Amino acid sequence: MDKNYLTKKEVNFFEKNGFLIIRNFFKLKEIEKIKSSLKKDKFFKSLFNNEDNNKDRNILQWNEPGDDILGITSRLEKVVGTMEQLMLDEVYHYHSKITDVPTGGSGWSWHQDYGYWYQNGCLFPDMASLFIPLDPCHIENGCLQIISKSHKLGRVDHIKREGKDEAIDEERLKYILKNLKRIDCILSMGDVLFTHCNLLHSSNRNTSGKSRRVLLCCYNTKHNNPVKEHHHPSYKPIKKLPDNSIMDFNENKFKKESDFLNRNSISYPILK
């Protein structure tokens, strides 16, 4: 935390509202370079196959950042430095993922990230994520929806629903939406969204005919080291990289299939 990347006003906004949008955080050519790299990776090609429209959503997760362009992005000084300024502590890479709401996909139900991470033995909600659009995010393609200030509610129980993902109770959601503001996060490539782990969020159905791909980098704080071993890592210092590292990356290097987590082997809960 040697450098302040945010103004006091921006930090206060995040603390009050549970999120922060920063426009043009990345250069457009940096996002295009990430996308170009993904096109050359056979594993990501299968993930982003838009002809497979029977899926509501696609996700591919990994724990170790690695030295490919995705790992580099999550280790940039401005990314880690901003996250540390918001979390008031040293952070480490908890995991990253690429998500895609394909054409016709229903998107994500209302949930908190900490609703899952709490079960992993992370005792404190001192965790956050960075949402990096790889495609423009707008209402038609199922942009992220958030409920401003909902992180102040604390952890909300998630309910298992047969044939669907876990989500918060619909009656409770009704009252939350009556009292707090729902926001559609309309983002261009280069914009980013920082979110507190207790912020309620979801996404609508993608009716645009185009994908809505996102790189999500998730971080935990050093003081919140998990008390249980689980499918995501414990504290390990991040090797930060200069902010020009994306454009300087010219290696033909991709993640291996073994780097990705098998979601079918993940079991919840670990710590009730």
Side-chain angles (χ1 to χ4, degrees), residues 1-6 11 22 25 73-91 130 194 219 238 240-241 243:
M1 295 183 285
D2 299 327
K3 177 180 178 181
N4 286 336
Y5 290 86
L6 301 173
V11 173
I22 302 181
F25 187 82
T73 303
S74 66
R75 295 193 287 131
L76 294 178
E77 288 179 345
K78 67 177 181 180
V79 168
V80 180
T82 300
M83 192 63 73
E84 290 182 334
Q85 195 175 352
L86 292 174
M87 291 290 97
L88 303 177
D89 190 15
E90 181 185 345
V91 301
L130 174 60
F194 289 87
Y219 299 86
I238 294 178
K240 300 178 187 178
L241 296 172
D243 290 334

Side-chain angles (χ1 to χ4, degrees), residues 162-177:
E162 188 173 351
K164 297 181 180 180
D165 51 339
E166 293 185 12
I168 69 167
D169 178 68
E170 291 186 6
E171 183 180 12
R172 181 177 291 272
L173 176 63
K174 179 178 68 175
Y175 291 115
I176 291 172
L177 288 171

Side-chain angles (χ1 to χ4, degrees), residues 100-112:
D100 178 20
V101 179
T103 300
S106 64
W108 304 87
S109 301
W110 286 102
H111 68 282
Q112 300 168 316

Side-chain angles (χ1 to χ4, degrees), residues 227-272:
V227 298
K228 292 278 188 178
E229 289 188 8
H230 59 283
H231 54 282
H232 293 316
S234 297
Y235 168 74
K236 181 181 178 180
I238 294 178
K239 296 180 180 179
K240 300 178 187 178
L241 296 172
D243 290 334
N244 60 356
S245 295
I246 291 177
M247 296 312 300
D248 288 346
F249 180 78
N250 292 306
E251 297 184 51
N252 188 26
K253 181 182 291 186
F254 306 104
K255 294 189 182 302
K256 304 185 296 293
E257 187 173 8
S258 59
D259 291 332
F260 301 116
L261 297 181
N262 182 351
R263 297 186 73 213
N264 294 324
S265 66
I266 298 174
S267 60
Y268 299 98
I270 293 175
L271 183 65
K272 295 183 179 180

Side-chain angles (χ1 to χ4, degrees), residues 26 47 60 81 83 181 220 272:
F26 291 102
L47 175 66
L60 199 58
M83 192 63 73
K181 183 179 180 181
N220 191 12
K272 295 183 179 180

Side-chain angles (χ1 to χ4, degrees), residues 19 23 26 39 46 61 77 80-81 125 157 191 231 263 267:
F19 74 96
R23 305 291 180 185
F26 291 102
K39 287 180 181 178
S46 62
Q61 299 184 71
E77 288 179 345
V80 180
D157 286 339
D191 299 342
H231 54 282
R263 297 186 73 213
S267 60

Side-chain angles (χ1 to χ4, degrees), residues 8-71:
K8 185 176 181 180
K9 182 178 179 180
E10 289 173 319
V11 173
N12 290 341
F13 183 93
F14 180 85
E15 292 177 352
K16 180 180 179 181
N17 297 285
F19 74 96
L20 179 67
I21 292 174
I22 302 181
R23 305 291 180 185
N24 302 310
F25 187 82
F26 291 102
K27 296 181 177 66
L28 181 58
K29 61 184 180 181
E30 290 178 310
I31 302 299
E32 293 291 357
K33 187 164 184 178
I34 294 172
K35 293 172 65 173
S36 175
S37 179
L38 294 182
K39 287 180 181 178
K40 301 173 184 177
D41 188 333
K42 61 181 179 180
F43 302 117
F44 283 103
K45 281 184 179 180
S46 62
L47 175 66
F48 297 148
N49 183 1
N50 291 332
E51 294 178 1
D52 189 12
N53 290 330
N54 62 330
K55 293 183 179 179
D56 286 328
R57 63 194 76 86
N58 290 320
I59 182 169
L60 199 58
Q61 299 184 71
W62 59 94
N63 285 333
E64 287 296 324
D67 296 319
D68 64 313
I69 200 164
L70 297 174

